[in-house]
Amino acid sequence: MAALLVSVALFGLTGCENSKDKAARHLASALELAEKGDGDRALVEFRNVFQLDPENVEARRSFADFLRARGDLAGAYGQYLAVTERKPDDQEALRAAASVAALIGNWPEAARQAKALLALVPDDPEMTAVQIGAAYAEAASKGDKAARKVQADAARALMTSRPKDLLLHRLVVDDLAQDQDFTAALAALDQALVIFPEEAQLYSLRVSLLAALEDKPGVEAALRDMETRFDDPAVGQALLRWYVANGQIDQAEAWLRSKTAAEGDAGLQARVQMILFLKQFRTPDAALAEIDAALALVPATPAAPDAADGAKPAITANGLKVLRASILFDQGKQDEAVAAMKAILEGATPSVETRMVKVTLARMLVATGDLVQPRALVEEVLTEDPGDVEALKLKSAWLIDEDKTDESIALLRTALESAPRDAQTMALMAEAYGRAGSRDLQADMLAQAVEASGKAPGETLRYANFLAGDQKFLPAETLLVDALRLAPDNLELLAAMGDLYLRMKDWPRAEGVANRLAEIGSDQSRAMSDRLRPAILAGREDVPGAVSYLETLAGTGDQRAEVALISAYLGQGKTAEAKAKAEALLARDPKDPAARFVMAAVKGATGEGVAAVADYRALLAEEPGRADLWIALIRQTAQNDGQPKAEPVIDEALKALPDQGDLLLMKANMLELRQDIDGAIAIYDKLYALNSGNLVVANNLASLISSYKSDQPSLDRAWTVARRLNGTDVPAFADTYGWLAHLRGQSAEALPYMELAAKGLETDPMVQFHMAEVLKASGRADEAKTYYAKVLTLVPETDTRAFVATARKEAGQ
């Protein structure tokens, strides 16, 4: 037996040594391929290294350098961080980690890594620059101009001895831009470009500065230069957006057509872009005609199986047929489009092309409500190619919906390794980090998505909304301003800017946004302007002015403005005026459902509740599928006869609309009121399955579970659902997050959340009880007693709920 054990041990040792030898061979191959410029195959070899030898520090360092060279800065930082965690005194890794963190704007991490290196190498000038950058970024985000100037001056002083420090140059340029001295900023930037002629971020910044100077020819020239200089599709997309934003549709088409003249696959790729452009900015028929023209230029045979080198296939007839099907799908011809896609796949051999067809078909099927076939198609794709980026994105999105964030992040990292500049992948990664409660990492990814997309509106809005949610209004404003310089008439960006100025109480600039929306002159932009102006007046506490403005709009016959005016009259207690306006609206067309709905609402608000119910019933007899009518009827019934009488109406509504979210929320609230907690949780479970991204549903589900369940599996699930609430400033969300943190033994972390919740929800006995419990766990028993006593003032003496009994005991009653 001893001999057997020895032989097993030796066999295990030999296997370990063989694994390391194999890893070494894969590493050598990866480095050789990277040297030859074959990045895709090098990436595969690096993955093989870590499957065999995950603790290979030098391999991780080489992989980090490789990812940095490919532009995957977030991935590079993760690898440098892995090196520093294994070798905390590794100066080279600390330096690289700090530098890369600074490049991606992760200033807390940049400062942390710089501090660690400075402890080993005091007064290191490069790390001193990073610390200056971190302090500058903090000052700028707070709008502290004096502190920002101190750091900018420090950067200028250090730059005399470090003239080739990119970070210092960027700080100086940003400082001048913050002061609105765009001419000087551009001059400083051009000096930096002499030193860093291939630094893409500087060229992107140059475009923004030229746009700020309203130098349209300069912007066009700069974008064209970037498009020629860098192999980055996002630059071409930015140039197209700029043409469109400036009304230069013909120039945009001409530019695209010039690209289609290229020989081989490059020209065909450009033709695909042309097809998409025509579909969006001309007509679908024009796009279909372009497809017909392209079909005459491409091979009719299917794509060959994957080549050994993993090269992307040329555009083929099947690829163009997929485009045709996509256009048909968007035109509402869904069955025809799906059938065309399935026909392409019949008898097809595995290839990059067939995988693309499967993923596109999966997206179509998801849009039709089929959630089974798409998953099977995506798994087929990933079985053939575990690194297929589009399939990874689809699967990752599903995993996020299922709260499997660790799995999703792992897949998205793989996708970013293959496509490090894919803004959509970065946005998904941000969503996954947010769902997992990692707000710093979420912010990093959102920032990188903005940069990778060329400051596209969607990515900009996503990050700006995130910053505004954290009340970082100035950085959010800077983002929106930069994006608007490239797309000055983008209505979504203007709407976000208007909302931001309302939150900042910056009424003059909010008025400026309203004026710009009015100047654009479309029906949609005028409607947005008309909604913004009363909000500005109300924010200024000029309610009469807001009403007067609405009266002016209503005088033009704008029904939307008339309804808003009626609401304003009711808010001021002017019931006679509201009723008269509603009657006039109805008199114009007594059969108009919208006017009848308004009249019913006015009756309900002016004491004619029974008549309002009759009106709602009459409307529902004609349109039983209208959720807004059911909700109005339920609320009016509760107002007339009390909450218990409304519950049968909710049940009646749910028979007509069994999956309607607002109705299900009403039912859950009703069940909670009568202490049917399991019933309420069941409904929230259903709502969560329908849309796990709904914050209110997520909060309510986690709150109920954590307040009424004590078994560990239930609490673990509640934490998985609620951890995205990290950093919230909403009292109800803070109560949920804080209470769960406390239940997990993190009472110190929970306390500030509970303080916010207890202050914001002073009349909620459960919240006050949670505050008491957290205080008690934090060693503040005397303060806790005050909150236990407060609970008892908020509930009847007959209340027998468990938390109330505990409060009585702790309060000594």
Side-chain angles (χ1 to χ4, degrees):
M1 178 62 73
L4 176 62
L5 291 175
V6 170
S7 66
V8 170
L10 287 173
F11 180 82
L13 180 59
T14 302
C16 179
E17 290 172 345
N18 285 340
S19 294
K20 289 186 178 293
D21 290 342
K22 289 178 182 178
R25 286 196 296 273
H26 283 298
L27 178 58
S29 176
L31 295 174
E32 182 181 353
L33 290 166
E35 181 68 24
K36 292 178 179 178
D38 193 346
D40 291 341
R41 291 176 66 193
L43 191 60
V44 173
E45 291 288 22
F46 273 119
R47 288 180 190 149
N48 290 335
V49 173
F50 299 123
Q51 286 177 358
L52 294 163
D53 188 7
E55 297 301 313
N56 191 321
V57 173
E58 293 310 312
R60 289 197 178 277
R61 189 196 311 278
S62 297
F63 189 37
D65 294 340
F66 167 78
L67 292 175
R68 185 175 184 178
R70 277 170 65 90
D72 182 3
L73 297 181
Y77 178 74
Q79 294 301 321
Y80 287 129
L81 183 62
V83 175
T84 63
E85 288 172 345
R86 290 163 174 81
K87 296 179 67 177
D89 295 341
D90 189 314
Q91 296 182 21
E92 180 185 346
L94 288 168
R95 185 180 304 281
S99 298
V100 172
L103 284 174
I104 61 179
N106 187 343
W107 291 110
E109 279 298 287
R112 184 175 72 85
Q113 300 288 359
K115 182 180 179 181
L117 183 54
L118 285 167
L120 300 171
V121 188
D123 302 322
D124 180 282
E126 184 180 359
M127 293 302 98
T128 300
V130 171
Q131 287 194 322
I132 291 171
Y136 176 94
E138 183 178 6
S141 70
K142 294 178 178 178
D144 188 340
K145 183 176 180 179
R148 173 171 63 82
K149 282 296 180 187
V150 169
Q151 299 306 324
D153 289 343
R156 289 184 174 91
L158 185 57
M159 199 159 63
T160 59
S161 60
R162 292 184 59 78
K164 294 185 178 181
D165 191 314
L166 175 60
L167 172 58
L168 296 175
H169 281 277
R170 287 172 58 190
L171 291 185
V172 170
V173 172
D174 188 80
D175 181 55
L176 292 167
Q178 292 272 357
D179 290 340
Q180 307 289 300
D181 192 348
F182 300 119
T183 301
L186 188 60
L189 180 64
D190 286 339
Q191 289 177 9
L193 281 169
V194 173
I195 304 170
F196 309 102
E198 298 303 320
E199 185 60 45
Q201 287 186 343
L202 294 182
Y203 286 90
S204 178
L205 181 54
R206 191 170 191 277
V207 170
S208 295
L209 292 174
L210 288 166
L213 290 166
E214 299 184 359
D215 181 356
K216 290 186 177 182
V219 171
E220 181 182 5
L223 284 169
R224 281 182 171 272
D225 176 51
M226 286 182 69
E227 193 266 336
T228 302
R229 189 182 296 269
F230 301 109
D231 182 19
D232 186 352
V235 177
Q237 292 301 312
L239 179 57
L240 276 178
R241 285 197 304 272
W242 186 83
Y243 278 134
V244 170
N246 286 277
Q248 299 180 20
I249 305 299
D250 292 341
Q251 290 91 327
E253 184 175 343
W255 176 77
L256 271 175
R257 288 203 182 278
S258 71
K259 298 295 179 185
T260 65
E263 293 184 1
D265 195 45
L268 290 170
Q269 291 282 3
R271 193 174 288 272
V272 169
Q273 290 294 316
M274 170 64 75
I275 292 164
L276 297 174
F277 173 83
L278 293 173
K279 177 194 167 203
Q280 183 174 1
F281 297 106
R282 299 300 192 190
T283 66
D285 287 342
L288 292 171
E290 192 71 25
I291 290 174
D292 291 336
L295 279 169
L297 304 175
V298 300
T301 56
D306 296 340
D309 62 359
K312 293 180 180 179
I315 299 297
T316 65
N318 280 343
L320 292 167
K321 289 175 183 177
V322 169
L323 272 176
R324 178 191 290 281
S326 297
I327 293 172
L328 293 174
F329 190 88
D330 290 343
Q331 287 181 309
K333 301 174 183 178
Q334 296 183 345
D335 291 342
E336 182 180 348
V338 169
M341 296 291 287
K342 289 182 176 179
I344 294 171
L345 291 172
E346 286 179 8
T349 56
S351 68
V352 175
E353 181 181 85
T354 55
R355 288 194 286 275
M356 177 271 292
V357 176
K358 287 180 179 180
V359 172
T360 306
L361 175 57
R363 293 187 189 279
M364 287 182 179
L365 292 170
V366 168
T368 66
D370 183 347
L371 301 180
V372 177
Q373 287 188 75
R375 291 177 183 252
L377 286 166
V378 166
E379 290 303 329
E380 286 177 19
V381 170
L382 291 174
T383 298
E384 293 175 17
D385 178 9
D388 186 287
V389 173
E390 296 305 315
L392 286 169
K393 288 192 287 191
L394 262 180
K395 184 172 182 178
S396 296
W398 294 328
L399 288 170
I400 292 169
D401 285 341
E402 296 165 6
D403 288 324
K404 297 175 180 177
T405 52
D406 289 346
E407 293 177 51
S408 177
I409 289 167
L411 292 181
L412 290 167
R413 282 177 178 153
T414 299
L416 278 175
E417 287 169 1
S418 298
R421 298 284 294 168
D422 190 310
Q424 188 180 45
T425 304
M426 293 173 181
L428 280 169
M429 182 79 93
E431 186 179 350
Y433 280 136
R435 184 70 69 97
S438 302
R439 290 185 63 80
D440 288 344
L441 294 173
Q442 182 183 11
D444 290 343
M445 272 297 153
L446 289 171
Q448 289 187 62
V450 172
E451 184 65 30
S453 70
K455 301 176 184 176
E459 284 73 16
T460 297
L461 285 168
R462 198 174 289 115
Y463 189 29
N465 288 336
F466 175 88
L467 291 170
D470 282 352
Q471 298 189 21
K472 295 179 179 178
F473 298 134
L474 293 176
E477 180 193 14
T478 299
L479 272 177
L480 292 171
V481 167
D482 283 348
L484 279 165
R485 284 171 181 156
L486 297 175
D489 292 347
N490 185 282
L491 298 187
E492 289 183 322
L493 291 172
L494 286 167
M497 185 68 91
D499 290 341
L500 183 66
Y501 287 143
L502 288 178
R503 294 185 66 178
M504 295 170 69
K505 302 186 187 303
D506 190 336
W507 314 123
R509 285 197 284 182
E511 186 71 31
V513 173
N515 291 339
R516 180 66 195 126
L517 287 165
E519 287 169 5
I520 291 171
S522 68
D523 290 344
Q524 186 181 0
S525 68
R526 281 195 296 267
M528 292 167 70
S529 176
D530 291 344
R531 285 194 293 271
L532 186 55
R533 291 187 194 279
I536 295 168
L537 291 166
R540 284 174 157 165
E541 299 184 351
D542 183 5
V543 176
V547 172
S548 176
Y549 179 76
L550 288 171
E551 286 174 337
T552 301
L553 285 180
T556 66
D558 183 336
Q559 189 181 75
R560 184 182 58 254
E562 289 177 303
V563 173
L565 178 60
I566 290 167
S567 178
Y569 280 149
L570 290 173
Q572 286 190 301
K574 296 180 177 180
T575 55
E577 290 90 336
K579 207 166 197 178
K581 193 66 184 174
E583 288 169 348
L585 185 64
L586 185 61
R588 286 210 302 266
D589 184 359
K591 294 183 179 180
D592 178 17
R596 291 162 63 195
F597 184 48
V598 170
M599 190 72 243
V602 170
K603 287 179 181 178
T606 56
E608 298 180 54
V610 174
V613 165
D615 286 352
Y616 289 134
R617 285 286 184 188
L619 284 164
L620 279 167
E622 298 169 14
E623 298 182 87
R626 276 186 61 180
D628 59 337
L629 288 174
W630 282 112
I631 291 167
L633 174 61
I634 291 163
R635 288 173 175 164
Q636 191 63 59
T637 302
Q639 183 179 321
N640 292 354
D641 306 317
Q643 290 287 351
K645 294 290 185 181
E647 189 166 2
V649 185
I650 296 174
D651 292 335
E652 184 184 355
L654 283 169
K655 287 180 181 177
L657 299 166
D659 292 330
Q660 210 287 323
D662 292 326
L663 295 173
L664 286 168
L665 275 174
M666 285 183 157
K667 179 66 175 179
N669 289 335
M670 190 72 71
L671 291 172
E672 187 178 352
L673 282 173
R674 57 182 173 86
Q675 288 300 292
D676 183 356
I677 303 302
D678 288 338
I681 288 174
I683 290 180
Y684 281 122
D685 272 328
K686 179 177 180 178
L687 284 166
Y688 195 75
L690 291 170
N691 180 11
S692 66
N694 187 311
L695 272 181
V696 172
V697 170
N699 174 74
N700 291 1
L701 174 60
S703 178
L704 278 180
I705 292 173
S706 62
S707 295
Y708 291 98
K709 303 290 182 182
S710 57
D711 61 288
Q712 198 57 47
S714 293
L715 294 178
D716 287 344
R717 181 171 185 239
W719 177 251
T720 297
V721 171
R723 57 188 175 169
R724 74 189 77 176
L725 303 176
N726 179 24
T728 184
D729 60 357
V730 178
F733 296 175
D735 172 59
T736 302
Y737 184 84
W739 181 239
L740 275 162
H742 162 71
L743 292 176
R744 293 170 62 84
Q746 301 165 354
S747 299
E749 180 185 350
L751 190 55
Y753 288 96
M754 289 315 312
E755 288 171 340
L756 169 64
K759 184 177 180 180
L761 299 168
E762 291 184 333
T763 60
D764 188 318
M766 181 74 82
V767 174
Q768 303 305 313
F769 173 75
H770 289 166
M771 179 64 177
E773 290 283 281
V774 173
L775 283 169
K776 180 183 175 184
S778 301
R780 295 161 63 176
D782 290 341
E783 294 174 72
K785 282 190 175 182
T786 302
Y787 283 92
Y788 286 125
K790 187 173 182 179
V791 170
L792 302 179
T793 67
L794 298 171
V795 298
E797 291 184 4
T798 55
D799 196 318
T800 59
R801 285 178 288 179
F803 80 91
V804 176
T806 300
R808 287 195 182 100
K809 179 181 176 182
E810 294 291 342
Q813 296 185 23

